[in-house]
């Protein structure tokens, strides 16, 4: 067993997030584990850019109200206790609703071949964000 030192909270970069968001790295698995877990906190109206994960992603909301959308699908409101799985390669985004903060656990795995974990696309436009 090993106690892992808490890492400092990181401000999410403007290149991949609209609005204010912060994350804490909870787990970055060491081989043979490839598990990644972050706590992500979104201010009202904040969201990440379109992105996809090589091995998929699970998002579990712990507090607040959020939005999530897969490319071509409806924008769905999510709240505490909701868990959403996005399969490998599915373009999607997630963030807070306009009037509420939202916190979620983001969980994914790194690919076994050492390739990129996440591919980032365009920022979510206000028009895309407002479709509900």
């Amino acid at each position: 067993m090993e106690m892992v030192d808490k890492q400092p909270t990181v401000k999410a970069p403007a290149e991949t997030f609209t609005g204010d968001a912060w994350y804490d790295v909870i787990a970055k698995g060491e081989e043979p584990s490839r598990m990644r877990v972050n706590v992500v906190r979104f201010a009202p109206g904040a969201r990440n850019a379109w992105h996809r994960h090589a091995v998929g992603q699970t998002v579990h909301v712990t507090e607040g109200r959020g939005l999530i959308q897969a490319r071509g699908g409806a924008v769905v409101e999510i709240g505490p206790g909701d868990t959403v799985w996005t399969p490998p390669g599915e373009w999607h985004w997630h963030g807070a609703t306009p009037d509420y903060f939202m916190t979620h656990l983001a969980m994914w795995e790194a690919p076994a071949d050492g390739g990129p974990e996440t591919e980032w696309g365009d920022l979510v436009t206000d028009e895309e964000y407002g479709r509900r």
Side-chain angles (χ1 to χ4, degrees), residues 94-132:
H94 29 100
T97 62
D99 299 323
Y100 294 91
F101 286 87
M102 191 267 289
T103 301
H104 69 49
L105 295 172
M107 299 165 274
W108 70 98
E109 288 183 83
D113 65 6
E117 298 172 20
T118 305
E119 179 181 353
W120 290 96
D122 293 335
L123 293 173
V124 173
T125 66
D126 289 342
E127 180 183 346
E128 290 170 317
Y129 175 76
R131 288 186 194 143
R132 285 195 279 163

Side-chain angles (χ1 to χ4, degrees), residues 2-3 11 13 17 20 29 32 36 41 44 46 51 53 56 61 77 88 101 105 108 110-112 115 131:
E2 176 185 348
M3 292 294 294
K11 174 85 164 78
F17 284 75
D20 293 323
R36 312 291 192 240
R41 295 172 183 87
H51 63 287
H53 299 275
V61 181
E77 188 164 326
F101 286 87
L105 295 172
W108 70 98
R131 288 186 194 143

Side-chain angles (χ1 to χ4, degrees), residues 12-24:
E15 296 79 26
T16 52
F17 284 75
T18 298
D20 293 323
W22 297 263
Y23 64 90
D24 290 288

Side-chain angles (χ1 to χ4, degrees), residues 5-67:
D5 291 335
K6 181 180 179 341
Q7 301 299 307
T9 298
V10 177
K11 174 85 164 78
E15 296 79 26
T16 52
F17 284 75
T18 298
D20 293 323
W22 297 263
Y23 64 90
D24 290 288
V25 175
I26 302 301
K28 187 172 182 179
E30 301 290 331
E31 287 293 338
S33 172
R34 299 184 317 273
M35 186 64 174
R36 312 291 192 240
V37 181
N38 286 358
V39 173
V40 187
R41 295 172 183 87
F42 296 88
R47 66 265 190 188
N48 53 29
W50 287 102
H51 63 287
R52 62 184 178 178
H53 299 275
V55 191
Q57 181 183 47
T58 299
V59 169
H60 178 78
V61 181
T62 59
E63 62 183 337
R65 287 183 173 168
L67 301 171

